[in-house]
Amino acid sequence: MECEVLAEAPYGSSEVVDTLQAWRIDHTPEVPRYVRDQRSDPENALEIGIPGEETFYSLGYGGALNEEGTAVETFFGEYFEDRRDPDSIREMEAWVDEDLAATLSDTENNAGWIILEFDPPAINAEGEYDIQAVEDTWGLPYPLELAAIFGRADAGDDWTFLFLAHNQEPVGDPTYHTYTNGKLGDLDEALQILVQDVSDPEWFIPYPHQVETLDGYDLNAVVALNDHVECEEFDETAWGEGDRFNERGNWGMFFKYKICEPENDNDNGNGDTYDKAGSAWGNNDGEINYHANACYFEYEPGDGTVSEPFVVEMGEGANYIQVGTVSVWDDGDTLYVKFKADEPDYKWGKVDLYAGLTAPSAPAAPGQFAWNYGEDD
């Protein structure tokens, strides 16, 4: 298995897919009140900004106040109430059933929202939080600003409700950011995250002196909390002290192998079976003597032709030094054997040849085989 870390946590989103910034709290149908320019750049939400500076993106409220200071067109007030206890906010998540989730994630409503894309996607890690929503509220007490967080694995999928993010636990010195951690639920990964403001403007009526900055959930960033690691598992075909046939993938390893090793098929009764031709035959009390034995090999009729013979190495001496080759072929009636030295000036003093339907028996001294060839043959 080979693994590669594509992104090391924590990491922010890579792209703003789409967004709708709604209104400030003092917006009225007659006099639109826009969010400050500093808070209106959606790319502020791609990474955690500088504490104490307006490097965040304000989503805006899903509703407005009329001239009498009464909420009009409040979209989410009937669902969420002013609870500042984060544990109570967690309980509110249980209220978000499928129907309400579909309503909240409807980007055609009049609340502010933003869709962020992660490259690579945020990963669902068992037993761990997966994503984190970061909000800017510079100190408490302050009314509840609330956002519903949704995710989906692919663009075009239905949104899956994940959790509610809030502003009631700012940390730091001075306090700036509230970090709300959540799971990806049934999603293995999330390519896109939707942050939908669900704050109620009525909660902010007691703060008329701050109307210029009452502009809904102030999203600093959404952060993936787990490394994105991709692993690929391969079925190796062989291992050895050699080089791969290719750089990665389902590879084999090659290594040098000397065929002249005893096999266990006991062709001659004692396991002395080889796939090479050798210079002397020996048997050491029934045990293989690797430095004083000749090697025989098996040839099946039809294995070789005059143009493509069956070829094995030819060794000589106790150390079995390769000095040439033995080529074998047949034409259906006659068996042909050719000895060839690697060096043109090299000569054998004598060559003994055994050919038979059964393996030769050991021990057998030189000169005892049926075919003998001298230097002049």
Side-chain angles (χ1 to χ4, degrees), residues 179-192:
Y179 302 91
T180 307
N181 297 330
K183 293 286 297 173
L184 288 180
D186 294 333
L187 298 176
D188 293 330
E189 62 181 27
L191 174 69
Q192 294 182 347

mmCIF file with all atom_site columns, all heavy atoms in Angstrom, residues 179-192:
data_model
loop_
_atom_site.group_PDB
_atom_site.id
_atom_site.type_symbol
_atom_site.label_atom_id
_atom_site.label_alt_id
_atom_site.label_comp_id
_atom_site.label_asym_id
_atom_site.label_entity_id
_atom_site.label_seq_id
_atom_site.pdbx_PDB_ins_code
_atom_site.Cartn_x
_atom_site.Cartn_y
_atom_site.Cartn_z
_atom_site.occupancy
_atom_site.B_iso_or_equiv
_atom_site.pdbx_formal_charge
_atom_site.auth_seq_id
_atom_site.auth_comp_id
_atom_site.auth_asym_id
_atom_site.auth_atom_id
_atom_site.pdbx_PDB_model_num
ATOM 1   N N   . TYR A 1 179 ? -15.015 28.966 17.731 1.00 0.00 ? 179 TYR A N   1
ATOM 2   C CA  . TYR A 1 179 ? -14.763 27.787 16.907 1.00 0.00 ? 179 TYR A CA  1
ATOM 3   C C   . TYR A 1 179 ? -15.844 26.746 17.189 1.00 0.00 ? 179 TYR A C   1
ATOM 4   O O   . TYR A 1 179 ? -15.949 26.243 18.307 1.00 0.00 ? 179 TYR A O   1
ATOM 5   C CB  . TYR A 1 179 ? -13.392 27.187 17.210 1.00 0.00 ? 179 TYR A CB  1
ATOM 6   C CG  . TYR A 1 179 ? -12.239 28.142 16.999 1.00 0.00 ? 179 TYR A CG  1
ATOM 7   C CD1 . TYR A 1 179 ? -11.767 28.939 18.047 1.00 0.00 ? 179 TYR A CD1 1
ATOM 8   C CD2 . TYR A 1 179 ? -11.617 28.245 15.771 1.00 0.00 ? 179 TYR A CD2 1
ATOM 9   C CE1 . TYR A 1 179 ? -10.714 29.814 17.866 1.00 0.00 ? 179 TYR A CE1 1
ATOM 10  C CE2 . TYR A 1 179 ? -10.556 29.122 15.573 1.00 0.00 ? 179 TYR A CE2 1
ATOM 11  C CZ  . TYR A 1 179 ? -10.111 29.903 16.619 1.00 0.00 ? 179 TYR A CZ  1
ATOM 12  O OH  . TYR A 1 179 ? -9.059  30.769 16.428 1.00 0.00 ? 179 TYR A OH  1
ATOM 13  N N   . THR A 1 180 ? -16.648 26.420 16.188 1.00 0.00 ? 180 THR A N   1
ATOM 14  C CA  . THR A 1 180 ? -17.669 25.388 16.339 1.00 0.00 ? 180 THR A CA  1
ATOM 15  C C   . THR A 1 180 ? -17.259 24.190 15.496 1.00 0.00 ? 180 THR A C   1
ATOM 16  O O   . THR A 1 180 ? -17.141 24.283 14.269 1.00 0.00 ? 180 THR A O   1
ATOM 17  C CB  . THR A 1 180 ? -19.050 25.881 15.881 1.00 0.00 ? 180 THR A CB  1
ATOM 18  O OG1 . THR A 1 180 ? -19.372 27.102 16.555 1.00 0.00 ? 180 THR A OG1 1
ATOM 19  C CG2 . THR A 1 180 ? -20.114 24.837 16.193 1.00 0.00 ? 180 THR A CG2 1
ATOM 20  N N   . ASN A 1 181 ? -17.010 23.054 16.167 1.00 0.00 ? 181 ASN A N   1
ATOM 21  C CA  . ASN A 1 181 ? -16.581 21.834 15.483 1.00 0.00 ? 181 ASN A CA  1
ATOM 22  C C   . ASN A 1 181 ? -17.778 20.935 15.197 1.00 0.00 ? 181 ASN A C   1
ATOM 23  O O   . ASN A 1 181 ? -18.725 20.877 15.988 1.00 0.00 ? 181 ASN A O   1
ATOM 24  C CB  . ASN A 1 181 ? -15.564 21.066 16.329 1.00 0.00 ? 181 ASN A CB  1
ATOM 25  C CG  . ASN A 1 181 ? -14.295 21.860 16.553 1.00 0.00 ? 181 ASN A CG  1
ATOM 26  O OD1 . ASN A 1 181 ? -13.911 22.678 15.705 1.00 0.00 ? 181 ASN A OD1 1
ATOM 27  N ND2 . ASN A 1 181 ? -13.628 21.636 17.668 1.00 0.00 ? 181 ASN A ND2 1
ATOM 28  N N   . GLY A 1 182 ? -17.714 20.234 14.090 1.00 0.00 ? 182 GLY A N   1
ATOM 29  C CA  . GLY A 1 182 ? -18.805 19.330 13.731 1.00 0.00 ? 182 GLY A CA  1
ATOM 30  C C   . GLY A 1 182 ? -18.328 18.145 12.920 1.00 0.00 ? 182 GLY A C   1
ATOM 31  O O   . GLY A 1 182 ? -17.192 18.103 12.434 1.00 0.00 ? 182 GLY A O   1
ATOM 32  N N   . LYS A 1 183 ? -19.223 17.170 12.794 1.00 0.00 ? 183 LYS A N   1
ATOM 33  C CA  . LYS A 1 183 ? -18.952 15.954 12.031 1.00 0.00 ? 183 LYS A CA  1
ATOM 34  C C   . LYS A 1 183 ? -19.583 16.053 10.647 1.00 0.00 ? 183 LYS A C   1
ATOM 35  O O   . LYS A 1 183 ? -20.511 16.821 10.416 1.00 0.00 ? 183 LYS A O   1
ATOM 36  C CB  . LYS A 1 183 ? -19.527 14.742 12.761 1.00 0.00 ? 183 LYS A CB  1
ATOM 37  C CG  . LYS A 1 183 ? -18.844 14.414 14.077 1.00 0.00 ? 183 LYS A CG  1
ATOM 38  C CD  . LYS A 1 183 ? -17.479 13.791 13.838 1.00 0.00 ? 183 LYS A CD  1
ATOM 39  C CE  . LYS A 1 183 ? -17.623 12.457 13.091 1.00 0.00 ? 183 LYS A CE  1
ATOM 40  N NZ  . LYS A 1 183 ? -16.312 11.910 12.686 1.00 0.00 ? 183 LYS A NZ  1
ATOM 41  N N   . LEU A 1 184 ? -19.086 15.217 9.757  1.00 0.00 ? 184 LEU A N   1
ATOM 42  C CA  . LEU A 1 184 ? -19.666 15.127 8.419  1.00 0.00 ? 184 LEU A CA  1
ATOM 43  C C   . LEU A 1 184 ? -20.829 14.150 8.352  1.00 0.00 ? 184 LEU A C   1
ATOM 44  O O   . LEU A 1 184 ? -21.421 13.948 7.286  1.00 0.00 ? 184 LEU A O   1
ATOM 45  C CB  . LEU A 1 184 ? -18.600 14.728 7.395  1.00 0.00 ? 184 LEU A CB  1
ATOM 46  C CG  . LEU A 1 184 ? -17.565 15.812 7.053  1.00 0.00 ? 184 LEU A CG  1
ATOM 47  C CD1 . LEU A 1 184 ? -16.568 15.293 6.028  1.00 0.00 ? 184 LEU A CD1 1
ATOM 48  C CD2 . LEU A 1 184 ? -18.243 17.073 6.544  1.00 0.00 ? 184 LEU A CD2 1
ATOM 49  N N   . GLY A 1 185 ? -21.156 13.530 9.479  1.00 0.00 ? 185 GLY A N   1
ATOM 50  C CA  . GLY A 1 185 ? -22.332 12.660 9.520  1.00 0.00 ? 185 GLY A CA  1
ATOM 51  C C   . GLY A 1 185 ? -22.208 11.467 8.593  1.00 0.00 ? 185 GLY A C   1
ATOM 52  O O   . GLY A 1 185 ? -21.252 10.689 8.665  1.00 0.00 ? 185 GLY A O   1
ATOM 53  N N   . ASP A 1 186 ? -23.174 11.315 7.709  1.00 0.00 ? 186 ASP A N   1
ATOM 54  C CA  . ASP A 1 186 ? -23.194 10.167 6.794  1.00 0.00 ? 186 ASP A CA  1
ATOM 55  C C   . ASP A 1 186 ? -22.305 10.368 5.572  1.00 0.00 ? 186 ASP A C   1
ATOM 56  O O   . ASP A 1 186 ? -22.173 9.454  4.754  1.00 0.00 ? 186 ASP A O   1
ATOM 57  C CB  . ASP A 1 186 ? -24.630 9.899  6.323  1.00 0.00 ? 186 ASP A CB  1
ATOM 58  C CG  . ASP A 1 186 ? -25.536 9.452  7.457  1.00 0.00 ? 186 ASP A CG  1
ATOM 59  O OD1 . ASP A 1 186 ? -25.015 8.873  8.432  1.00 0.00 ? 186 ASP A OD1 1
ATOM 60  O OD2 . ASP A 1 186 ? -26.752 9.682  7.374  1.00 0.00 ? 186 ASP A OD2 1
ATOM 61  N N   . LEU A 1 187 ? -21.711 11.534 5.437  1.00 0.00 ? 187 LEU A N   1
ATOM 62  C CA  . LEU A 1 187 ? -20.842 11.797 4.282  1.00 0.00 ? 187 LEU A CA  1
ATOM 63  C C   . LEU A 1 187 ? -19.442 11.259 4.549  1.00 0.00 ? 187 LEU A C   1
ATOM 64  O O   . LEU A 1 187 ? -18.850 11.511 5.599  1.00 0.00 ? 187 LEU A O   1
ATOM 65  C CB  . LEU A 1 187 ? -20.755 13.301 4.009  1.00 0.00 ? 187 LEU A CB  1
ATOM 66  C CG  . LEU A 1 187 ? -22.049 14.030 3.655  1.00 0.00 ? 187 LEU A CG  1
ATOM 67  C CD1 . LEU A 1 187 ? -21.777 15.524 3.516  1.00 0.00 ? 187 LEU A CD1 1
ATOM 68  C CD2 . LEU A 1 187 ? -22.638 13.483 2.351  1.00 0.00 ? 187 LEU A CD2 1
ATOM 69  N N   . ASP A 1 188 ? -18.889 10.521 3.602  1.00 0.00 ? 188 ASP A N   1
ATOM 70  C CA  . ASP A 1 188 ? -17.499 10.079 3.705  1.00 0.00 ? 188 ASP A CA  1
ATOM 71  C C   . ASP A 1 188 ? -16.535 11.246 3.519  1.00 0.00 ? 188 ASP A C   1
ATOM 72  O O   . ASP A 1 188 ? -15.456 11.280 4.113  1.00 0.00 ? 188 ASP A O   1
ATOM 73  C CB  . ASP A 1 188 ? -17.195 8.991  2.678  1.00 0.00 ? 188 ASP A CB  1
ATOM 74  C CG  . ASP A 1 188 ? -17.940 7.703  2.958  1.00 0.00 ? 188 ASP A CG  1
ATOM 75  O OD1 . ASP A 1 188 ? -18.209 7.435  4.152  1.00 0.00 ? 188 ASP A OD1 1
ATOM 76  O OD2 . ASP A 1 188 ? -18.253 6.967  2.003  1.00 0.00 ? 188 ASP A OD2 1
ATOM 77  N N   . GLU A 1 189 ? -16.936 12.177 2.688  1.00 0.00 ? 189 GLU A N   1
ATOM 78  C CA  . GLU A 1 189 ? -16.150 13.372 2.466  1.00 0.00 ? 189 GLU A CA  1
ATOM 79  C C   . GLU A 1 189 ? -17.078 14.480 1.993  1.00 0.00 ? 189 GLU A C   1
ATOM 80  O O   . GLU A 1 189 ? -18.210 14.219 1.566  1.00 0.00 ? 189 GLU A O   1
ATOM 81  C CB  . GLU A 1 189 ? -15.030 13.130 1.436  1.00 0.00 ? 189 GLU A CB  1
ATOM 82  C CG  . GLU A 1 189 ? -15.526 12.746 0.054  1.00 0.00 ? 189 GLU A CG  1
ATOM 83  C CD  . GLU A 1 189 ? -14.390 12.501 -0.925 1.00 0.00 ? 189 GLU A CD  1
ATOM 84  O OE1 . GLU A 1 189 ? -13.286 12.136 -0.480 1.00 0.00 ? 189 GLU A OE1 1
ATOM 85  O OE2 . GLU A 1 189 ? -14.600 12.699 -2.142 1.00 0.00 ? 189 GLU A OE2 1
ATOM 86  N N   . ALA A 1 190 ? -16.606 15.712 2.076  1.00 0.00 ? 190 ALA A N   1
ATOM 87  C CA  . ALA A 1 190 ? -17.412 16.852 1.648  1.00 0.00 ? 190 ALA A CA  1
ATOM 88  C C   . ALA A 1 190 ? -16.601 17.690 0.674  1.00 0.00 ? 190 ALA A C   1
ATOM 89  O O   . ALA A 1 190 ? -15.561 18.246 1.034  1.00 0.00 ? 190 ALA A O   1
ATOM 90  C CB  . ALA A 1 190 ? -17.838 17.693 2.842  1.00 0.00 ? 190 ALA A CB  1
ATOM 91  N N   . LEU A 1 191 ? -17.093 17.750 -0.557 1.00 0.00 ? 191 LEU A N   1
ATOM 92  C CA  . LEU A 1 191 ? -16.482 18.625 -1.555 1.00 0.00 ? 191 LEU A CA  1
ATOM 93  C C   . LEU A 1 191 ? -16.903 20.065 -1.327 1.00 0.00 ? 191 LEU A C   1
ATOM 94  O O   . LEU A 1 191 ? -16.089 20.993 -1.452 1.00 0.00 ? 191 LEU A O   1
ATOM 95  C CB  . LEU A 1 191 ? -16.875 18.176 -2.959 1.00 0.00 ? 191 LEU A CB  1
ATOM 96  C CG  . LEU A 1 191 ? -16.431 19.076 -4.116 1.00 0.00 ? 191 LEU A CG  1
ATOM 97  C CD1 . LEU A 1 191 ? -14.916 19.019 -4.273 1.00 0.00 ? 191 LEU A CD1 1
ATOM 98  C CD2 . LEU A 1 191 ? -17.136 18.689 -5.409 1.00 0.00 ? 191 LEU A CD2 1
ATOM 99  N N   . GLN A 1 192 ? -18.178 20.261 -0.960 1.00 0.00 ? 192 GLN A N   1
ATOM 100 C CA  . GLN A 1 192 ? -18.708 21.613 -0.782 1.00 0.00 ? 192 GLN A CA  1
ATOM 101 C C   . GLN A 1 192 ? -19.406 21.738 0.575  1.00 0.00 ? 192 GLN A C   1
ATOM 102 O O   . GLN A 1 192 ? -20.031 20.786 1.059  1.00 0.00 ? 192 GLN A O   1
ATOM 103 C CB  . GLN A 1 192 ? -19.685 21.964 -1.909 1.00 0.00 ? 192 GLN A CB  1
ATOM 104 C CG  . GLN A 1 192 ? -19.026 22.055 -3.280 1.00 0.00 ? 192 GLN A CG  1
ATOM 105 C CD  . GLN A 1 192 ? -20.000 22.439 -4.373 1.00 0.00 ? 192 GLN A CD  1
ATOM 106 O OE1 . GLN A 1 192 ? -21.214 22.422 -4.199 1.00 0.00 ? 192 GLN A OE1 1
ATOM 107 N NE2 . GLN A 1 192 ? -19.455 22.795 -5.538 1.00 0.00 ? 192 GLN A NE2 1
#
